[in-house]
Amino acid sequence: MSSAIEQSFDRNVLSLRFNRPEKKNALTLAMYDALTAAMRDADGRDDVRVLLLSGSGDTFTSGNDLVDFASNPPAGEDSPVMRFLFAMQALAKPVIAAVDGLAVGVGATMLLHCDLVYASDRARFQMPFVNLGLCPENAATLLLPLRAGALLANELVMFGDLFDARTAHEAGLVNRIVPAAELMSVARERAGVLATKPPAALRATKRLMRESAGTAVVEAIQREAKVFAERLASAEAQEAFTAFFEKRKPDFSRF
């Protein structure tokens, strides 16, 4: 287990916390591997009934660590990133997210695969894929329009701007907005209540709630991953990443 993924267990709730506050909890390949292992292990444990995701400091997660990501781009479905996406999508047990501060990129799209999401009033969300010369991932192109409607989904992913918790609630990413000081107590209380429910009935309900989508979500993840890999190798993405590392505004005028 990566030290950047902190685990704790209490009353049938497994808490997984992104713990890299000095980097705004940016996700590395090692963190993806640790998350995947923890999720798969939790699904096989009778004593774990609910998973709770959160971030340390004042950030949920700022998404991929771009230095790590650019040095080790995902290569196929066996890459750490893809294993994580599929593991989260396949989880049989309920997942709750407590979002404080930034939830960027995969930090925002993973919320589409959580069963309940509570956000602080200072939470900020962003899906900046197009701005990086990329495309959305994690079945966002399927699930976000279903939640938010096509027009709002288009606005969020095409502009890639930061948006607040109220907009996230409108888009169907968030169940409830609470004061930042109360976020973890609310999320833990909700997780604790779920953990007292009949576990097999809860798993069956989650399965049925998601079953109507059939294989569409997995197929969307695969379809997006193919285009994402193509975009990652594009001149546009190279300009966006170079500009990021050089701390300048990218110039797409020549494309």
Side-chain angles (χ1 to χ4, degrees):
M1 176 61 64
S2 168
S3 61
I5 301 296
E6 185 180 87
Q7 283 197 64
S8 60
F9 183 70
D10 182 47
R11 291 176 292 182
N12 301 114
V13 176
L14 177 66
S15 295
L16 299 174
R17 187 170 74 148
F18 310 124
N19 188 32
R20 202 177 172 224
E22 73 282 0
K23 295 291 186 180
K24 295 194 177 296
N25 299 328
L27 299 173
T28 64
L29 299 188
M31 292 169 72
Y32 278 121
D33 281 338
L35 286 165
T36 299
M39 288 178 173
R40 289 177 175 169
D41 179 65
D43 244 2
R45 285 172 53 181
D46 291 337
D47 59 337
V48 176
R49 296 189 176 187
V50 179
L51 285 83
L52 174 60
L53 301 179
S54 65
S56 58
D58 60 356
T59 303
F60 182 63
T61 169
S62 57
N64 287 309
D65 182 306
L66 290 185
V67 174
D68 188 63
F69 190 77
S71 301
N72 303 280
E77 294 188 6
D78 196 42
S79 66
V81 175
M82 294 302 296
R83 286 198 299 268
F84 165 74
L85 299 187
F86 287 125
M88 189 166 190
Q89 184 276 329
L91 271 170
K93 296 176 181 178
V95 183
I96 294 176
V99 181
D100 189 23
L102 289 172
V104 177
V106 70
T109 62
M110 73 170 67
L111 303 178
L112 294 164
H113 299 274
C114 294
D115 301 288
L116 296 159
V117 179
Y118 301 99
S120 78
D121 50 9
R122 65 183 181 184
R124 296 293 182 270
F125 306 78
Q126 188 177 22
M127 301 183 196
F129 304 105
V130 167
N131 299 342
L132 293 170
L134 304 173
C135 69
E137 34 82 313
N138 213 358
T141 58
L142 170 69
L143 296 174
L144 190 61
L146 292 175
R147 301 270 192 96
L151 293 179
L152 180 54
N154 287 344
E155 185 171 26
L156 299 181
V157 299
M158 289 185 176
F159 286 101
D161 294 333
L162 280 168
F163 55 97
D164 61 15
R166 182 175 297 181
T167 303
H169 185 267
E170 182 184 352
L173 286 171
V174 168
N175 288 82
R176 190 193 307 176
I177 303 167
V178 300
E182 300 173 17
L183 176 64
M184 290 312 301
S185 62
V186 168
R188 290 190 185 106
E189 185 273 335
R190 293 286 80 193
V193 171
L194 270 193
T196 67
K197 304 290 184 182
L202 201 57
R203 293 193 301 274
T205 298
K206 174 170 178 170
R207 184 182 71 249
L208 290 167
M209 292 283 282
R210 295 183 172 222
E211 213 163 55
S212 61
T215 61
V217 173
V218 171
E219 290 170 353
I221 292 173
Q222 293 170 327
R223 184 169 59 250
E224 291 168 350
K226 181 178 183 297
V227 178
F228 191 99
E230 293 169 355
R231 296 303 315 150
L232 195 58
S234 71
E236 290 177 345
Q238 295 305 307
E239 166 61 14
F241 277 72
T242 300
F244 174 84
F245 293 128
E246 293 179 353
K247 296 181 170 53
R248 61 173 173 82
K249 186 176 180 178
D251 179 9
F252 299 117
S253 63
R254 66 182 185 276
F255 298 110

